[in-house]
Amino acid sequence: MVSRADLLALVDGAPGPLRTVEAALTRWVDTGLVAAVHEPLARVAGLDGEAAAVDLGEKGEGPARSGPPVIDESLSYVLVALPDRWRVVGRGHIAVSDGHQSWVGTGSLVTERDSTRAAIHDAGPIGACLYPGPLLGWLGFGDPEPDERAGRFCWTVDAYPRPLAPSAGPLAASVTAAASPAMAAAVPPASRLPEEFLGIEHRFWFEARTGIVLRHEGSLEGEPCSMTELTDVVIDEPIPADEFAPPPDAIVRSSHELLRDHLTELGVDPDAIDLDDPGEVRRALRQGAAFRPMRGRAD
């Protein structure tokens, strides 16, 4: 049995010795509970001026939904060669990076993005699963228990946003002691917790050798609101370099080309705009969108 401190060190150091991973990634979210989860987290962060401590222990009629239960579920196949090559293939969608450039689109048409969008965290939930260290900055963890997921030995543990942790004093202190100052400083406030791990009450399964997340379950007052899981996991097998390239038969277009086409459709002259200036591009898009209905009525 590992101690809580050992687990926190494992998570902080993830993905540890991991070199490559192939897996199926399943994720579902109850979109009707998204707003109900974010509201108490915003209050914890003090965004509405209330005290930071929020008591979610009082059970009323259950969590308030922003709408009826709607399960948004996705399944994708992921290939990763650390530190920065990845491929994510879902239904009608592909995203891939060779570590320098990244491409996103379909099997027949992809948009090439610049190097700032080539990091593993731009690959979606897989980035959060492989690098769970920032969790230590805003979650308090309980005591780990041995378990198995995807045929791999792992440690499972309950966790809560720190102000809501059941044992606020000692538990929060243990987390603070385990997290490095540099890591804690880089962690976002509780109101901006990663969407990949939606929930107030959390349960994680961390792979025992690397510390990566094999499964996460998030809930609100005992009601499930999200789940992320890696299955069919293959670790440290060689992956051919050509896997981290656009589909061989796909048309590759730059983001500038697509932006120029879109502006032209809106009736905006793309040559009159600095396409590398995000503010200027946003103003042009708003202007074109505002005038488009009037042009339609004139036609």
Side-chain angles (χ1 to χ4, degrees), residues 29-297:
V29 175
D30 183 344
T31 58
L33 287 176
V34 172
V37 169
H38 286 172
E39 189 272 336
L41 292 176
R43 283 189 283 133
V44 169
L47 297 186
D48 61 0
E50 296 184 13
V54 178
D55 183 8
L56 291 184
E58 298 179 5
K59 296 294 188 291
E61 298 180 355
R65 292 180 174 275
S66 59
V70 178
I71 303 300
D72 181 10
E73 186 170 8
S74 63
L75 173 65
S76 55
Y77 183 68
V78 298
L79 296 170
V80 178
L82 294 171
D84 53 12
R85 292 183 296 159
W86 44 267
R87 184 184 191 92
V88 179
V89 181
R91 180 179 297 176
H93 175 80
I94 183 171
V96 60
S97 170
D98 63 2
H100 303 285
Q101 295 289 123
S102 65
W103 300 266
V104 61
T106 67
S108 58
L109 174 65
V110 295
T111 301
E112 184 176 87
R113 305 185 295 186
D114 60 33
S115 58
T116 61
R117 303 296 302 276
I120 185 63
H121 292 286
D122 292 310
I126 186 61
C129 289
L130 296 184
Y131 289 89
L135 294 170
L136 303 183
W138 51 266
L139 287 181
F141 287 82
D143 293 319
E145 300 174 355
D147 204 346
E148 182 178 313
R149 281 284 167 179
R152 309 193 71 85
F153 182 66
C154 59
W155 297 105
T156 182
V157 62
D158 293 324
Y160 302 83
R162 264 205 224 148
L164 310 177
S167 306
L171 186 56
S174 69
V175 177
T176 302
S180 66
M183 182 204 69
V187 170
S191 61
R192 304 208 314 267
L193 300 183
E195 292 294 334
E196 291 82 4
F197 302 131
L198 182 74
I200 296 295
E201 304 105 22
H202 302 270
R203 189 165 185 83
F204 289 92
W205 284 259
F206 295 103
E207 205 268 335
R209 185 176 72 96
T210 63
I212 67 174
V213 176
L214 293 181
R215 181 180 173 92
H216 164 261
E217 296 174 357
S219 59
L220 175 61
E221 298 185 17
E223 184 168 353
C225 57
S226 75
M227 188 278 292
T228 301
E229 182 171 28
L230 295 177
T231 57
D232 301 324
V233 179
V234 177
I235 286 180
D236 289 345
E237 290 294 324
I239 300 177
D242 59 7
E243 291 284 359
F244 306 109
D249 298 325
I251 298 172
V252 179
R253 302 193 67 188
S254 70
S255 56
H256 274 193
E257 287 179 300
L258 293 180
L259 181 57
R260 290 179 66 88
D261 289 348
H262 186 49
L263 289 168
T264 301
E265 291 176 0
L266 293 175
V268 178
D269 181 5
D271 293 325
I273 298 169
D274 181 359
L275 299 181
D276 292 315
D277 184 337
E280 192 170 340
V281 169
R282 283 194 296 269
R283 288 191 293 272
L285 291 171
R286 285 197 297 266
Q287 180 185 15
F291 281 104
R292 190 171 191 175
M294 289 188 283
R295 287 197 302 272
R297 287 195 295 271

